[in-house]
Amino acid sequence: MSNTEFPDDELRHEQEFIDGLYARVDALRGDTEGSVADALALGDKPMQARLERDILVAERSGLLAALNAVDGSLCFGRIDLTSGTRHHIGRIGLRLDDAERTPVLVDWRAEVARPFYLATGHTPMGLRRRRHIATDGRRVSSLHDEILDLGDQERTGHEDPTGDAVLLAALNSARTGRMNDIVQTIQAEQDEIIRAPHRGVLVVEGGPGTGKTAVALHRAAYLLYEYRELLAKRAVLIVGPNPAFLGYIGEVLPSLGETGVLLATVGELFPGVKARAADTPEAAAVKGRADMADVLAAVVRDRQTLPDPVLAIEHDREVLMLDDGLVNMARERTRAARLPHNAAREYFEGHILNTLTELYAERVGTDPFDGSSLLDASDITQIRDELAENPEVWTAVDQLWPLLTPQRLVADFLAAPEGYVDAEDAAAIRRPVTRAWTVSDVPLLDEAAELLGVDERVARARAERERETQIAYAQGVLDVSYASRTYEFDDKEDEDSEVLSAHDIIDAERFAERQEEDDHRSAAERAAADRTWAFGHIIVDEAQELSPMAWRLLMRRSPTRSMTLVGDPAQTAEAAGVGSWSEILEPYVEDRWDHTRLGVNYRTPSEIMDLAAAVVRAENPDFEPPSSVRSTGVPPWIRHAHDDLPGAVEKAVAELTPTEGRLAVIAPRDLHRALATRLDGITAGAEPDLTHTVVLLDPRQAKGLEFDSVLVVEPGRYGTSDLYVALTRATQRLGVLYTDELPKALATRVTGP
């Protein structure tokens, strides 16, 4: 790239740096000039060895995966210190291959990069200049300089008088249907939250557009950087409100070089179950209540039954009678061990066998003249062993203390909840056993799993069967290897050659063990399959929406209580949502949690925010929304659709669809089919594709998302929090269509006929 392509030296110097940076990246990837193959062809063995070493380090550290995920805009900034030192700031860190491993690009999470986000003219933090570097792929497109040392007279011609050009450009850019990282524009209040210590519970509250989600994701990336050794082993869990939201944020962490994170909804946190269906608000509220834990405990206890009135067990021509008194004694002794139901079954079996042994010994081993026992300890042991072989004994045990699965227990309870909840609640949650699981069911399944536990004997037997299968497979592999070697030497005199086969080196059992040792799954993948996994840190988005039962599930996944919770109580819409931070946390950490609030709205223009705030103030006059940082000069409009709502929506979509970017039509779910049939290319469904130019959502699906333009349909059918969410999704333009009665706050602002 020749110098004549640049209008000034500053652009040329930065382009040369970027070119050198990518040359280093390409060398690590091994896909351009200077790669291992080229070094080998040139006979440059020292270069070859150095590159091979660097590539190995990059692979093992995860740097290579990060480089593949982070392609464009590796470097986005530069800080010039008054000392003369200069640092380039990027999404990941890179070093030279010299003896000192000199940093060439500083990771944005490193302490030395903090002044890039925090320095001001009042507090320059040792900086004289901060530079934002905009790139298009690998080409530098523009520079924006901020002078922090006001006594420095040097100027480059790229000074930004306000210091807001980069931020405003990001806020005004067209949306793609995927969240972008904010690493170039992190604000000071956001940086403080991102870098807060990872121990304990941190609550980040903020209204629409304050960047709560982006801050939470960048906090995950920072924690993985700062506490790599700890969190790489335990993984970080990010919980989102719905699958569409997880798809929306799914590219942020890879763009920051982090892939060891599990993203999931509550409906995906019970291995083997992926719940997508939603309950009615009434059913969700009942299932989400904290007292459902006691209800399920009662259901489990009721499965520990007594005879009605006796159980007769025939053994060696004697009939032994287990009455409710004897069984109750065994049951209470077992319960005293305070073990989960399935884990306690072994104790119950032991008590029942002892009881039956005593009955039988008394029947056949008592002297009829003086009542003394005719049996010694070995006789008693033999009787017990023989009873343990009697199928009738195990039939009785299965009836009195059955092994249960969480799925069976919860399904049976929901099919017949009467007797455990009142009649109104029972009517709300009752459903057939065959019905698909809902999101609200998953915390119940998790609670049931805690109450039931695992019979370790069953787990050991299953593991042994799997091991035998693996050994048989390994033996087959070795037999094939041996057969191939035998065939190779069939026509040779030295059939007993010294050449060794796999048979000579390893047996099937050890071969199978080696395969077991090679678990190449990431920590996040292993965590997804293990209900009892303890995460190093958990981040919960839209945390105010989770029910008390969902919080019980999450707290089990975080025994250290290392969590970041983000949300906004004013946006609580779920019937089971807690909506109060103290109510959520006091049962688990009392008052040992920190709270911070984001008060600046970066997404929603002031014209739109004023309208949304009026809706909430109609119900809560003291409500204070976050302050918008910008105004577009385009007021939202509100129009009556008259008798043809689908037609009015079709016309409004044509008006609002941006040249670049995305439009969301937010409407009640029962209108989606009629609207989708009138709108060419529009999609509707439980998991909409947010990359389409126009998407159709209901207010709950829109939570946490943002679009260039938004059309809200029939606002009078939403609750206040749902309407507040719907009205605050737009970054540029908002329209409202209605046929039903409008909420009072909107009725005075109608702008069309």
Side-chain angles (χ1 to χ4, degrees):
M1 189 175 291
S2 66
N3 295 352
T4 57
E5 295 183 44
F6 299 98
D8 57 48
D9 287 344
E10 291 294 328
L11 277 168
R12 177 174 57 81
H13 290 153
E14 293 298 357
Q15 185 62 59
E16 288 174 350
F17 174 81
I18 296 295
D19 289 342
L21 187 66
Y22 277 104
R24 172 72 180 143
V25 169
D26 291 337
L28 280 174
R29 287 170 170 163
D31 59 7
T32 65
E33 186 177 359
S35 68
V36 174
D38 294 326
L40 182 62
L42 293 170
D44 190 342
K45 290 188 177 180
M47 179 183 287
Q48 177 192 351
R50 187 166 61 250
L51 287 169
E52 286 177 339
R53 179 202 67 193
D54 289 350
I55 291 171
L56 181 61
V57 170
E59 287 176 343
R60 290 181 175 175
S61 67
L63 176 60
L64 205 56
L67 290 172
N68 290 330
V70 185
D71 195 7
S73 303
L74 265 176
C75 175
F76 56 80
R78 193 183 89 190
I79 51 177
D80 298 354
L81 280 63
T82 54
S83 64
T85 304
R86 176 180 293 175
H87 297 296
H88 279 87
I89 313 298
R91 283 177 166 78
I92 58 176
L94 288 173
R95 294 177 179 270
L96 294 174
D97 54 2
D98 56 16
E100 291 76 24
R101 306 294 292 164
T102 306
V104 63
L105 184 65
V106 175
D107 193 299
W108 67 275
R109 297 165 287 191
E111 188 63 25
V112 71
R114 281 204 89 177
F116 183 80
Y117 300 108
L118 299 183
T120 65
H122 180 68
T123 309
M125 300 179 70
L127 300 191
R128 69 180 186 87
R129 180 186 305 273
R130 170 169 47 214
R131 168 168 290 176
H132 293 270
I133 303 171
T135 58
D136 182 6
R138 299 189 178 194
R139 183 183 178 89
V140 176
S141 56
S142 64
L143 305 177
H144 298 275
D145 287 346
E146 296 175 64
I147 304 300
L148 300 171
D149 180 359
L150 301 182
D152 186 350
Q153 298 302 311
E154 180 185 346
R155 295 294 181 266
T156 65
H158 296 281
E159 282 72 26
D160 174 12
T162 66
D164 294 332
V166 175
L167 175 62
L168 292 176
L171 298 180
N172 288 316
S173 63
R175 269 43 190 173
T176 65
R178 293 288 181 263
M179 177 182 277
N180 296 319
D181 66 68
I182 61 167
V183 68
Q184 293 171 268
T185 58
I186 292 171
Q187 303 300 293
E189 65 169 356
Q190 297 171 331
D191 185 82
E192 292 292 338
I193 296 169
I194 289 169
R195 297 174 190 265
H198 90 286
R199 294 289 185 185
V201 177
L202 174 64
V203 173
V204 182
E205 183 178 331
T210 54
K212 302 183 299 297
T213 298
V215 167
L217 294 173
H218 287 69
R219 177 163 167 73
Y222 170 76
L223 294 177
L224 285 164
Y225 170 85
E226 189 70 11
Y227 306 98
R228 177 77 61 190
E229 185 174 347
L230 171 65
L231 296 183
K233 294 177 182 178
R234 302 311 310 166
V236 172
L237 170 65
I238 297 179
V239 180
N242 55 59
F245 174 84
L246 295 182
Y248 175 65
I249 68 172
E251 296 176 4
V252 174
L253 286 167
S255 77
L256 299 174
E258 298 298 345
T259 56
V261 178
L262 177 63
L263 277 68
T265 65
V266 170
E268 297 168 329
L269 289 178
F270 190 85
V273 172
K274 283 198 173 183
R276 293 286 191 266
D279 276 304
T280 64
E282 295 77 16
V286 174
K287 292 179 182 180
R289 290 196 314 238
D291 63 6
M292 287 302 296
D294 296 329
V295 169
L296 289 175
V299 174
V300 172
R301 289 174 68 87
D302 283 352
R303 299 301 188 271
Q304 302 162 1
T305 61
L306 298 175
D308 185 20
V310 296
L311 278 175
I313 297 173
E314 184 175 349
H315 182 72
D316 196 19
R317 296 187 299 278
E318 296 289 340
V319 178
L320 307 177
M321 309 298 287
L322 276 177
D323 61 29
D324 57 356
L326 292 173
V327 173
N328 188 53
M329 186 182 301
R331 183 174 71 172
E332 292 307 310
R333 288 175 176 173
T334 302
R335 287 176 174 174
R338 304 182 70 83
L339 292 172
H341 174 87
N342 289 336
R345 175 173 155 129
E346 183 176 1
Y347 290 81
F348 183 76
E349 293 169 2
H351 290 310
I352 291 297
L353 282 172
N354 290 340
T355 299
L356 291 172
T357 299
E358 290 174 8
L359 291 174
Y360 185 82
E362 184 178 355
R363 185 80 57 84
V364 302
T366 302
D367 190 311
F369 297 103
D370 60 12
S372 62
S373 176
L374 302 175
L375 305 174
D376 58 22
S378 62
D379 295 326
I380 298 298
T381 299
Q382 182 178 348
I383 291 170
R384 193 179 191 280
D385 290 344
E386 290 172 351
L387 281 165
E389 299 295 326
N390 187 336
E392 289 192 25
V393 173
W394 299 110
T395 299
V397 170
D398 286 339
Q399 178 180 331
L400 300 170
W401 197 287
L403 285 173
L404 300 169
T405 66
Q407 291 88 336
R408 182 82 265 168
L409 184 81
V410 173
D412 287 347
F413 160 66
L414 294 176
E418 293 80 7
Y420 296 104
V421 295
D422 63 33
E424 184 178 351
D425 290 345
I429 65 175
R430 188 188 304 109
R431 69 164 197 222
V433 171
T434 55
R435 185 74 62 83
W437 297 114
T438 68
V439 174
S440 303
D441 292 333
V442 168
L444 303 186
L445 292 169
D446 196 72
E447 188 72 30
E450 281 292 303
L451 292 167
L452 296 177
V454 177
D455 187 334
E456 291 297 333
R457 295 170 303 167
V458 175
R460 286 195 297 269
R462 184 184 301 113
E464 184 59 30
R465 287 194 300 271
E466 292 175 356
R467 184 170 179 273
E468 289 172 357
T469 300
Q470 291 169 348
I471 290 173
Y473 175 78
Q475 185 64 57
V477 172
L478 292 175
D479 289 345
V480 170
S481 171
Y482 180 74
S484 299
R485 177 174 177 271
T486 302
Y487 176 80
E488 181 182 347
F489 289 107
D490 270 349
D491 297 328
K492 298 181 180 179
E493 294 180 0
D494 58 346
E495 184 173 339
D496 296 326
S497 166
E498 295 180 1
V499 177
L500 297 177
S501 72
H503 259 284
D504 301 315
I505 300 171
I506 191 170
D507 61 17
E509 186 171 352
R510 181 58 187 151
F511 187 36
E513 288 174 0
R514 287 190 179 179
Q515 304 312 304
E516 291 176 8
E517 293 167 1
D518 293 335
D519 187 348
H520 298 293
R521 294 178 300 168
S522 68
E525 290 170 332
R526 286 182 280 123
D530 185 353
R531 192 193 69 83
T532 63
W533 189 273
F535 288 92
H537 194 79
I538 295 179
I539 293 174
V540 186
D541 204 299
E542 302 293 349
Q544 77 281 350
E545 302 288 8
L546 269 59
S547 70
M549 287 300 293
W551 283 113
R552 287 177 65 88
L553 178 156
L554 286 178
M555 291 298 175
R556 293 189 191 104
R557 307 296 196 273
S558 181
T560 61
R561 303 295 188 259
S562 179
M563 309 178 85
T564 302
L565 314 181
V566 297
D568 179 13
Q571 297 184 64
T572 305
E574 295 293 341
V578 177
S580 163
W581 303 123
S582 58
E583 287 182 51
I584 291 169
L585 294 171
E586 282 180 2
Y588 304 101
V589 297
E590 297 179 343
D591 61 351
R592 299 186 302 276
W593 51 281
D594 294 322
H595 177 273
T596 187
R597 182 173 179 83
L598 294 168
V600 179
N601 186 332
Y602 299 99
R603 176 205 303 144
T604 317
S606 57
E607 295 87 352
I608 296 176
M609 199 64 217
D610 289 345
L611 180 67
V615 169
V616 181
R617 286 199 183 105
E619 188 174 285
N620 177 11
D622 296 327
F623 173 71
E624 285 298 329
S627 302
S628 297
V629 299
R630 65 196 175 101
S631 168
T632 61
V634 181
W637 53 256
I638 303 173
R639 300 171 187 166
H640 194 284
H642 302 290
D643 297 328
D644 183 13
L645 180 62
V649 169
E650 184 177 12
K651 185 181 298 184
V653 165
E655 175 186 342
L656 288 170
T657 301
T659 305
E660 295 181 51
R662 301 294 181 271
L663 164 69
V665 178
I666 303 177
R669 180 61 67 90
D670 61 352
L671 297 178
H672 282 200
R673 179 169 297 184
L675 296 180
T677 57
R678 288 289 296 269
L679 300 171
D680 183 36
I682 200 168
T683 60
E687 298 182 37
D689 185 348
L690 300 178
T691 64
H692 285 197
T693 301
V694 181
V695 293
L696 182 58
L697 309 167
D698 64 34
R700 305 292 172 88
Q701 290 176 308
K703 291 185 77 68
L705 308 181
E706 60 181 35
F707 305 88
D708 300 87
S709 301
V710 169
L711 176 64
V712 177
V713 181
E714 296 292 21
R717 294 174 56 180
Y718 305 159
T720 299
S721 60
D722 279 342
L723 182 54
Y724 183 53
V725 168
L727 293 173
T728 54
R729 299 304 97 193
T731 66
Q732 301 295 334
R733 295 194 295 169
L734 171 69
V736 179
L737 282 174
Y738 70 99
T739 60
D740 296 341
E741 183 178 355
L742 279 173
K744 186 181 299 184
L746 300 185
T748 59
R749 299 182 181 227
V750 175
T751 56

